[in-house]
Amino acid sequence: MSLCFERHKEIYKLDEIIFSGVCSMPLQVWLLLICVATVGSNSLVLSPILSDVAHAFGSSAAEVARAAAAYGGATALSALVFGRLTDVLGGRKALTIGLAALTAGMALCAVSWRWEILALGQGLAGLGGGILLPGAYAMAAKVAPEGEEARVMGRVLTGWSVSLVAGVPTSALITDLLGWQSVFILLGAIAFLVLLCCQTLPRNGGGAVQERGLALFSLMRLPMVLPLLFICLAFMSSFYGVYAFLGDHMRVTLGLSASQAGLIVLVYGVGFGVAGVGDRLIDRYGARRLFPVILAVLSLVYIGMLLAMTSLVAMLLVSFLWGFVNHFCVNILILLLSRAGGNRRAALLGVNSAVTYLGAMIGATLFGEVYTAYSFGALAVMASVFLVAAAFVAAFVGLRIPGANSSVRP
């Protein structure tokens, strides 16, 4: 027990490092960051506790992973249908609706007794997440000063670091101490508190975008949207497919506890957060120039994971690099899509979130079948192939993104 506390007491020092660049953010950006952190904690929490939940239900890891697939599918559908709510209703109302659904979903997960009930709760949470993520990203791009879009977006994306460095490892520790149900109780309480805080935001925004301009096919005709969404699908399918089963693989292979498996997620989050110091490079050198290179490097990280999968120390090192490179991938992808969307950015980022969680669903199902039939190594190879395809599209199709050779300005 003391060993768990020793390993996790460093979380607060790591949080201090990651938060050092965001202490002066305005309240609106803080709330956007916390919304992303809350959604991120739920979407990533199942991996290190997958074995515990499966044991409690008398199910297999692959069956419990279907709950993550349900979350991904519901988030994708919600983002596609409701992601535009920030454009139509304004940020305050959209965040309130999304957080209410997320809170209700966490409550249902906390009282679930079968994996099907857990999947239902995750689906309800996904409806909220599909509203929150595109809304948070769109609002970040909207409030950013000209020429500083990557920096501000990076601050909001720090929410993923918070979920990875604090949320997920802490959830793993809570699972060891109090049981996995307590994790969802905590996440539901946080979502409800954020919901209350969002009521302090001003009642403005929304209503300026006509329904006709938000049609899905209209968005698909915008320059370079389809190639960027293909990159998003390949990138996210790879990430969630590997992430969903990494904790289970390491626990089975090395006999780790939930909190020990959570260390891998913690180190990933540190890498993701530390990469934020380089966000200004995106504004300086241009997202288009950097994107294919970053995607190609990420494909090599997955190959490194294949080589490191039998050693905890080696996997911790690779996980740091994984998080570091992923930060740039997410930032560049969202910035390019936000720029392409213009005054319809929330609607387009809703489509992006839909594709993101379609990738999460593919990762939890397709990769799950491969994991069951073969091994974790096969997942790393699949992910690397997906990223090579994404880098090819970014290099040879993305060259024609209008204006993407310079700083990205929505």
Side-chain angles (χ1 to χ4, degrees), residues 224 226-228 230-231 388-399:
M224 303 316 303
L226 287 177
L228 287 171
F230 171 82
I231 293 172
V388 168
F392 180 86
V393 171
F396 295 102
V397 180
L399 287 174

Side-chain angles (χ1 to χ4, degrees), residues 310-355:
T310 58
S311 168
L312 178 59
V313 174
M315 186 60 76
L316 290 174
L317 176 61
V318 174
S319 292
F320 178 87
L321 296 175
W322 191 23
F324 191 91
V325 179
N326 268 3
H327 177 97
F328 290 104
C329 285
V330 174
N331 199 336
I332 291 172
L333 180 62
I334 292 174
L335 283 170
L336 290 176
L337 283 167
S338 179
R339 180 183 181 277
N343 65 346
R344 295 177 288 174
R345 59 171 61 91
L348 183 54
L349 289 172
V351 176
N352 170 68
S353 292
V355 174

Side-chain angles (χ1 to χ4, degrees), residues 6 44 118 250 273 292:
E6 286 296 321
L44 300 170
L118 180 67
M250 296 302 291

Side-chain angles (χ1 to χ4, degrees), residues 339-374:
R339 180 183 181 277
N343 65 346
R344 295 177 288 174
R345 59 171 61 91
L348 183 54
L349 289 172
V351 176
N352 170 68
S353 292
V355 174
T356 294
Y357 284 96
L358 175 61
M361 187 168 60
I362 291 173
T365 53
L366 175 62
F367 278 62
E369 295 299 322
V370 173
Y371 179 62
T372 301
Y374 298 97

